[in-house]
Every structure is written in structure tokens, then in C-alpha cells.
Amino acid sequence: MNAESETTGETEGPADGRGERPPAEVAVVVIGYDDAAHVTDAVRSALAQGPAVREVVAVDDCSRDGSVGLLERLAASEPRLKVIRRRANSGGCGTPRNTGLDAVTSPYVMFLDSDDVLPPGAVDALLAAAEGAHAEVAGGLCVRRELPSGREVPWQPRLYALHAVVPRPAQRTRLVHDTLCVNKLYRAAFLRAHGIRFPEGRFPYEDVVFTARLLAAAPRIALIPDRVYVWHVRRSEARLSISLDRSGVENWRARTEACRQAYEVLLGAGQKELARTARAKFLDYDLRMYVRELGLRDAAYRRAWWELTRAHLAEYDADDWARNPAAPGRLIGRVVLASPEPCDLPRLRELAARPARLYPPYARAADGTPVWSDAVPQVSLEPLRARPVRALPLAVDAELRPGARGTRLRLRLYELYGRVAQAGPETVDVEWRHRDDGDVVVHGASLPLAPCAGVAGAGETVGSAGSAGRGGSAGSAGGAGSAGRGGSAGSAGGAGSAGRGGSAGHGGSAGRLGPAGSDGTWSAETAVDLLALAAPGVGTWDLRLRIRFRDGASRDVTPHALTGAGLLRRRAVPSARHGVVLVQPYTTHSGALALRVAPGVRGLLSVVRARLRRLLH
């Protein structure tokens, strides 16, 4: 067995050790509400697991769309299926799961949502792991499958990279990050003995609290790298799932409440390290995810979100903030706490990206200490000076200009309080990764990074392209335009001077100078192979960069998409092979540069149809 350090020597496999199929010992609880389109697929995926599944309990939460009829017809020919219909809708997922848990008679239980499926062999793999390790819980890999594209993204892959047995959750604190309840097999008697149930009624993110209650009971846990759950993500559905519907501030209120309860459950059980990890997970995952989307919301949402977040973070103590103080989530949280009103949202969005990007202003206090900005000087950035360069939130601008004579990509790397110059950036590797199939990659050149000629005198400042004030246009041809309202754009290779209100970002001064003889930036330029990007057909490509330094260290980054006159516009580029290629550079929710490509007449028609669908709906 390939096991990690927590593993105590048990071997995975059937309990009897003869390599035979595990006995029928598992119940699968399937919950659904008004999901006639998918619920039978979910139930069939559970029944198809084979003899190890003794019973499938389908709990219908008072649907009105005929779901119950479909399930009852299926049950007529499948004796392992039991259908329970609740008389009143609970408003959430916790109550029907509890109903199913009360009804199962098997030694082990799993949970399955009506719009997801269990992949073949999932139950056998989890049951063998639980029995072989004498574990109360067995967990495996869940994949998020984006529909209709079919792109799959593994959930918490680091946790499930290898077979492992964890005698106590405190020995693997990262278990707190996997808040899903559906990718696990539980010993039913353990859940009942410890009173581990889901919150009742309308309680979004009920699995966050359930997972905390589970970990608080200190079960023995077996982890396996097998795929055991397929989470279907349908973003185009008329009714989004709770986890996808984040448009209202009540969703954020529910999430913070679930995270608060999870912390209290763990702390109350004496699991202090797990409780601390739960708070750190909130900063690194939940907070960053919602900050990336703040720019999509209206002013009323942002104010309410900011107030809720400040109230939640006010409960954190000094130890919570002292751990890994340069981590992006902690810096974001400290900025929110320090400002009574929403501020610096574009810059916070960049820092919330993955990987994080910290854009100018690179302000300093009177004593020279790096701080967030002149307007929020109480948030110190001093911890960044001790962070290794491979983990720094490096900022790179990307400017893409498609044209008939070729498509050019210009990149500009920013200094960060002298750390970049100290590390010595030498080259940048360019790659384009297909959005729907991450295994499809178009590799660009490895480009030398050249220091930009300085245009500012000693002690002067340079601005941030992409952090322009209101009305300012971005720099052109590799310039760092930081014009404010009425400010002029930067010229090629230079830093744009600010106009009225031209300080970059919210209330802060522009960044300080980098190494002597330069403006603290490095640049590179290359051609983009549109022919290679168009080869798979219509698709979206994400730009990825790897900065390499003279000591051999490297840092993976996603570049910030420059905006401004002539940028991020759809272009029809002539092509000898396709006739024409429609090219659309755009900025993602996190501010990164991405590229849509539609080759040929078919590609053009697909874009037109997509636009019409959006207009009609």
C-alpha cells in the first residue's frame, strides 16, 4: 500500500481478506426536489453499484413535478429501492437526508443528490477501504463536472492523492477543507452514537456543519484516490443549486453562519487545531471566492456584504491573524476589517485570484514599512518580505492585440518592494490552456524578461496599468498607464502620468520605484499562434505564465488583462486555413486574461447563436 505518514499499517481490501466482493452492507440515501429530469439517473447509478448496495432510500422533499411517480415506477421493478415522500417541503437538504438516515437499516450509509451520480465501483472501493482499515469513515475523490462541456475539476485532490488511514482528524487538519458529505461512506452506528445529523429546515451549506460534527467526534478515516462521486455543475439551469446561486447577499449570510457554527462545534469538542484550520479555510477559500465576484454585484449588495463580513471577521482573535500573515485571504480580511466602507474592490479582486496578484499602489508608511495603501495604512504588508518568491502575489499585465499581420502578446511584470529585483527575473514561459479540456495546452515561447527603461526620477512613483482611476485609459504597448479621471494613457514602455485623481486604486499613492535604473518593471513580447488555438474549433483559452528567476525558483501566475482603447475587442482575423478566425480577448471574474476563438464560418455562426440565446433569455 502506498500510504502516508499517518497510516498505521493496515491494508486496504475486503474485510475477509480473500479478495471477494464486499457483502451487501451499504445504503445510499438519494434526496431530491422537483428534479424529475435527473433523479432516476442518480438512483440508477446507486443501484448499478452492485451487490454491495443493500438498499437505496430515495427521499422526495414534496416535489410537484412528477418525481415521485418516476421513482415509484422504478421501485416496482427494483426491490432494493425504497421511496419516501415528505408531506411538506423542508426548504433545504438537511431534513431529507436526516429522514433517509433514520430509514436505513444497513451498517454503512452514503448520500447522493438527485442531480449527481456515483461512478462505477465507488461503493466497492469505499467499503473495502473502510473495512480494511476498521474505519468509521471512508472518503474518496469527488470531481466537479461542468455541463454541458463535460470538463472535470477534482475537488480537494491533495487530500485524496494517496491511500491513507488517519487515526484522528487532528492528525490531518486539511480534512476541514473537504466540507462535502457526498464523497464519503459512514458507519451508520457511529453517526447515531454521536448524534451526528444535518441541520434541519432551510439551512444552506448544511454539509459544512455536518462535516464539523463528524470531525468533532474524532472518527478513524480511510482516504482513497479513487473517483467516488461526480458532482454535476449546471450553470445554465433555470434554478441554480444553493452552492451556485450566490447572487443574493442572503447566500453569503448563510455561508458565514455555517462556517461560524462549524468553528464552534470543533472548538466545543476540544478540537482547537481543527477549529483554527476551519477559520483559515474560510479566509483562503470562501472569502476569496466571493471577493472575486463582488464587482458583479450592485452597490447595495456590496455594502451589505461588507458589513456581514466585518461582523464575522471581528470574531477572529490575534492567533487567527498571526498564522501565515502574508496569505492572500488574511490580507483581504484585514483590509475589510480596517475599512468601514467597501474599498479597493478591483485590487482586492486581483489579490483574491488564484494565483494571487497584488497590484499597485505599493505604498509605504512614514517609516518605510510596506502598507496596503495610503488610505488603509494600518494593514501592513511587511510579512511579504519574508515570503519566498515562489509564493509572492506577483502582478503581471497582459495586453493582447489581434491583427491581420499577427496577434501580439505583451507582458509586464511589476516590482514588489524590491523582492522581484532581488530574486532576478530572467524568463517567462507562456502557455494557453483550453477551458473545457485542461489537458489541451498550446505552449508558447520561453521569453526573456527585460528591465524597462526608467522614466521617473529618484523618489518618484510609477502607476499601475489596470489600476487606473475613474475614466483613465490603460497604458499602450506595454506601458503602465495609471491615468485618473481625465489622465493621459502611458506611452510604449513608459508609465502613464496621472491626471486629476490619478492615483492608482482607491485612495492610495502609486507604486514606488524598483531597482535603480528602471521603473521597477520587466517586459516581454511574443506572437500568439492563432492557428494552434483554432485547431480544436470553437473554444476558450486561459493564459498561464511561469516566471523563472536566476536561482532556479519559479512562480506560476495568471496575468491581469489590460483594458483600454482598442483592447478586449472582438476581431475577425484573416486565416489561410479557416478563411477567418473570430478572436475575443476578455477579462475573467478574477481579472485575468482569457481568449475566445471561433474559427471559420461555423465558428462565426456559433457565436451569433450564442448571442441570440443570451438576448432572448
Side-chain angles (χ1 to χ4, degrees):
M1 177 181 65
N2 188 6
E4 297 182 331
S5 58
E6 296 93 323
T7 306
T8 56
E10 294 88 344
T11 59
E12 286 84 1
D16 59 12
R18 297 193 302 269
E20 297 177 357
R21 183 184 296 274
E25 292 189 320
V26 178
V28 181
V29 174
V30 184
I31 64 166
Y33 169 68
D34 279 357
D35 198 15
H38 309 116
V39 66
T40 54
D41 290 338
V43 170
R44 286 192 177 98
S45 77
L47 294 170
Q49 296 296 309
V53 174
R54 177 190 296 180
E55 56 188 337
V56 175
V57 180
V59 182
D60 179 81
D61 203 9
C62 197
S63 295
R64 301 161 297 176
D65 68 345
S67 294
V68 171
L70 294 173
L71 291 170
E72 289 176 342
R73 284 194 290 274
L74 184 58
S77 60
E78 177 49 72
R80 292 181 296 166
L81 176 58
K82 179 181 181 180
V83 180
I84 301 175
R85 186 185 189 190
R86 292 183 47 78
R87 294 183 178 180
N89 179 259
S90 69
C93 297
T95 297
R97 288 200 185 116
N98 288 337
T99 299
L101 182 59
D102 290 338
V104 303
T105 61
S106 303
Y108 294 94
V109 63
M110 291 183 66
F111 299 102
L112 172 62
D113 290 346
S114 61
D115 53 349
D116 301 329
V117 294
L118 298 180
V123 170
D124 281 355
L126 288 170
L127 182 56
E131 292 285 346
H134 306 289
E136 287 83 24
V137 180
L141 184 66
C142 168
V143 294
R144 289 168 52 104
R145 180 181 292 166
E146 298 275 351
L147 297 175
S149 70
R151 180 172 70 106
E152 293 188 348
V153 179
W155 172 262
Q156 296 295 325
R158 287 173 51 193
L159 191 58
Y160 298 102
L162 300 170
H163 286 278
V165 179
V166 185
R168 293 179 302 279
Q171 295 180 348
R172 179 73 70 85
T173 58
R174 190 165 184 85
L175 287 165
V176 169
H177 288 251
D178 182 13
T179 55
L180 298 183
C181 69
V182 290
N183 60 330
K184 301 175 184 70
L185 177 82
Y186 309 90
R187 191 179 293 274
F190 181 83
L191 298 182
R192 291 169 180 144
H194 292 274
I196 300 170
R197 297 173 67 82
F198 294 89
E200 294 278 349
R202 174 68 180 173
F203 193 101
Y205 305 106
E206 74 294 328
D207 46 358
V208 173
V209 178
F210 176 86
T211 299
R213 292 171 177 172
L214 179 75
L215 297 179
R220 184 178 177 85
I221 301 176
L223 306 176
I224 61 174
D226 306 60
R227 286 165 40 117
V228 301
Y229 197 87
V230 178
W231 175 1
H232 285 147
V233 180
R234 297 178 172 91
R235 301 184 190 276
S236 59
E237 293 284 305
R239 190 188 73 192
L240 293 175
S241 66
I242 291 174
S243 61
L244 293 179
D245 188 7
R246 297 191 290 268
S247 58
V249 75
E250 288 305 312
N251 178 280
W252 180 239
R253 187 190 306 275
R255 196 170 195 123
T256 55
E257 177 59 26
C259 291
R260 178 183 293 109
Q261 289 195 25
Y263 170 80
E264 292 173 350
V265 165
L266 292 167
L267 191 64
Q271 302 282 2
K272 294 183 179 180
E273 196 62 29
L274 290 176
R276 294 288 187 197
T277 304
R279 280 188 165 176
K281 173 257 177 189
F282 175 85
L283 294 173
D284 184 61
Y285 177 73
D286 304 84
L287 182 64
R288 290 174 72 178
M289 176 170 58
Y290 281 72
V291 165
R292 290 194 296 270
E293 299 174 352
L294 269 183
L296 305 175
R297 315 303 182 201
D298 60 25
Y301 175 101
R302 292 195 293 267
R303 285 194 298 271
W305 184 95
W306 200 269
E307 182 179 352
L308 282 170
T309 307
R310 295 186 81 229
H312 182 70
L313 295 180
E315 300 173 4
Y316 282 39
D317 58 30
D319 188 53
D320 292 319
W321 298 111
R323 298 187 176 200
N324 197 6
R330 282 173 177 76
L331 294 178
I332 293 169
R334 290 169 60 203
V335 171
V336 172
L337 271 180
S339 177
E341 297 291 334
C343 72
D344 295 339
L345 297 186
R347 194 167 182 232
L348 289 172
R349 179 192 67 171
E350 299 286 337
L351 189 57
R354 294 189 182 276
R357 301 182 295 265
L358 181 61
Y359 265 79
Y362 299 138
R364 296 178 187 269
D367 62 358
T369 301
V371 295
W372 175 257
S373 70
D374 290 345
V376 191
Q378 58 269 53
V379 177
S380 172
L381 300 184
E382 183 66 24
L384 288 176
R385 292 188 170 185
R387 201 167 177 85
V389 69
R390 65 179 181 276
L392 285 175
L394 300 183
V396 179
D397 281 335
E399 175 186 319
L400 188 71
R401 291 188 179 271
R405 297 183 179 180
T407 298
R408 306 295 296 177
L409 174 68
R410 298 184 177 99
L411 303 171
R412 190 177 186 92
L413 167 66
Y414 284 88
E415 179 58 274
L416 186 62
Y417 297 112
R419 293 298 315 286
V420 179
Q422 181 184 27
E426 293 186 333
T427 61
V428 54
D429 299 338
V430 178
E431 74 172 29
W432 295 91
R433 188 171 295 273
H434 199 277
R435 176 74 57 82
D436 293 334
D437 187 351
D439 293 332
V440 178
V441 178
V442 172
H443 294 282
S446 181
L447 310 172
L449 282 165
C452 297
V455 295
E460 295 177 342
T461 61
V462 295
S464 161
S467 298
R470 183 169 58 183
S473 58
S476 64
S482 56
R485 186 168 59 184
S488 60
S491 60
S497 60
R500 188 174 67 176
S503 61
H506 173 87
S509 64
R512 307 292 179 178
L513 280 174
S518 81
D519 62 3
T521 62
W522 294 258
S523 64
E525 183 174 338
T526 187
V528 176
D529 188 354
L530 278 186
L531 193 61
L533 298 180
V538 179
T540 300
W541 298 83
D542 293 304
L543 180 58
R544 300 285 187 267
L545 307 174
R546 175 168 293 176
I547 310 296
R548 298 187 183 275
F549 299 88
R550 61 170 168 253
D551 66 352
S554 64
R555 172 60 165 158
D556 292 336
V557 300
T558 57
H560 166 86
L562 275 183
T563 60
L567 297 175
L568 304 186
R569 291 175 55 188
R570 184 181 293 112
R571 301 283 184 93
V573 179
S575 169
R577 174 172 295 183
H578 302 286
V580 66
V581 176
L582 196 64
V583 181
Q584 171 70 72
Y586 74 98
T587 180
T588 67
H589 289 170
S590 68
L593 178 68
L595 183 64
R596 295 190 184 99
V597 176
V601 176
R602 288 186 178 181
L604 293 174
L605 290 176
S606 70
V607 172
V608 172
R609 285 194 294 267
R611 288 180 62 85
L612 287 174
R613 283 196 297 270
R614 287 194 295 269
L615 290 173
L616 293 174
H617 293 87

